[in-house]
Amino acid sequence: MTQTTFKLEEKKIKIVPIITDNKGDLREFSFILDTGATVSVVNEDVAIRLGYDVRTLNKENLVTIGGKTSTRKLRLPKIELLGKVIENLDVRVIAMPIQVSMFLDGLIGMDFLLKLKHLNIDFEEQTIEV
C-alpha cells in the first residue's frame, strides 16, 4: 500500500494529481477529493492547458446538487494520483467560477476512487493510504 499526505483546507482534502497532456508532458494541478461526486471534473482552463480544444469535445449534461449543467467530456490519457496511475479516465470539463478556479483546478470523484479498491483517509495525520 502507498501512503500520501494531503492538505486539509476548509474541510476539503487538497491533493496534487499529475496529468499527462496531449503531447505526453506531465503537469501538476490542484484538486480536491469529493466522495459525493460521481464523476471527476476539471476546469475548462485545465483542458486548455493540457492542449485540448474544448469546443471540439462532446457535450454531455451533468446533474449536480445545484441542478443540471452542460459539460464537455474529455478522456485523460493518464492521471497519476495517490501513487496510482489510471489510464483513459473520462472527466467532465466545466467553466468553474473565477472565485473557485483561482484556488482549484478540479475535483476527483468516485469514478477515480472506485478504481483504487482500498482507500483509508486519516484526518488527524493528514494521510491517505491506497
Side-chain angles (χ1 to χ4, degrees):
M1 287 196 224
T2 304
Q3 193 174 64
T4 305
T5 59
F6 66 86
K7 280 180 112 173
L8 192 60
E9 294 181 6
E10 298 178 17
K11 299 183 182 176
K12 295 177 182 73
I13 299 174
K14 200 162 192 183
I15 53 176
V16 179
I18 299 171
I19 301 174
T20 303
D21 68 16
N22 69 351
K23 294 179 183 167
D25 295 327
L26 303 177
R27 297 179 177 249
E28 288 187 2
F29 295 95
S30 178
F31 278 55
I32 59 170
L33 286 184
D34 187 347
T35 59
T38 305
V39 296
S40 298
V41 174
V42 299
N43 187 15
E44 196 173 79
D45 179 58
V46 170
I48 293 167
R49 285 187 278 161
L50 289 170
Y52 297 96
D53 182 352
V54 175
R55 298 168 298 174
T56 65
L57 301 174
N58 290 331
K59 288 184 180 182
E60 192 170 280
N61 286 326
L62 180 66
V63 178
T64 69
I65 196 162
K68 191 190 289 189
T69 186
S70 180
T71 69
R72 302 285 183 155
K73 188 174 180 180
L74 170 64
R75 176 163 287 168
L76 296 176
K78 187 162 64 170
I79 178 169
E80 182 178 339
L81 178 62
L82 305 173
K84 302 291 182 187
V85 175
I86 302 294
E87 294 183 347
N88 299 318
L89 181 69
D90 289 330
V91 299
R92 303 309 177 269
V93 178
I94 63 170
M96 293 181 175
I98 189 72
Q99 307 91 313
V100 175
S101 64
M102 287 174 46
F103 305 101
L104 188 65
D105 295 315
L107 63 88
I108 297 296
M110 291 303 294
D111 56 342
F112 182 94
L113 297 176
L114 288 171
K115 295 178 187 306
L116 300 178
K117 310 283 187 236
H118 169 84
L119 177 70
N120 184 35
I121 301 173
D122 184 329
F123 288 98
E124 187 174 36
E125 296 292 323
Q126 293 191 13
T127 60
I128 299 174
E129 184 179 80
V130 293

